[in-house]
Amino acid sequence: GPVAETFRVIQGAVTEEYVRSTQGVFQFELSGDGGGTWYIDLKTKAGSAGFGKPPVTADVVMSMSSADFVKMFT
């Protein structure tokens, strides 16, 4: 779905430079289609993004609809 595709694109765009400059872990609690817990880790090693809880404690937790999440990143 659109949420999974958005995270696939984000994962492909994560670079070690983004991780070095950002140093943050973002957790998203999404409601609606494709919802659930998702994360972007821009703190650990080469970074990662995907479904589930982040590998380390999140610095920021955002709750929103999956539709708003997709709009925010597109």
Side-chain angles (χ1 to χ4, degrees):
V3 171
E5 177 63 15
T6 301
F7 274 95
R8 188 189 67 73
V9 170
I10 292 168
Q11 176 64 51
V14 171
T15 66
E16 288 185 22
E17 178 57 33
Y18 282 141
V19 173
R20 272 195 305 276
S21 64
T22 305
Q23 289 297 295
V25 178
F26 306 89
Q27 181 174 319
F28 300 89
E29 297 296 335
L30 304 180
S31 59
D33 290 342
T37 301
W38 296 79
Y39 73 92
I40 302 171
D41 177 356
L42 297 176
K43 188 180 243 180
T44 309
K45 298 182 184 169
S48 60
F51 184 75
K53 295 245 182 213
V56 296
T57 303
D59 297 301
V60 176
V61 178
M62 293 183 239
S63 298
M64 65 186 71
S65 72
S66 56
D68 285 345
F69 173 83
V70 172
K71 286 178 193 173
M72 185 170 77
F73 278 90
T74 55

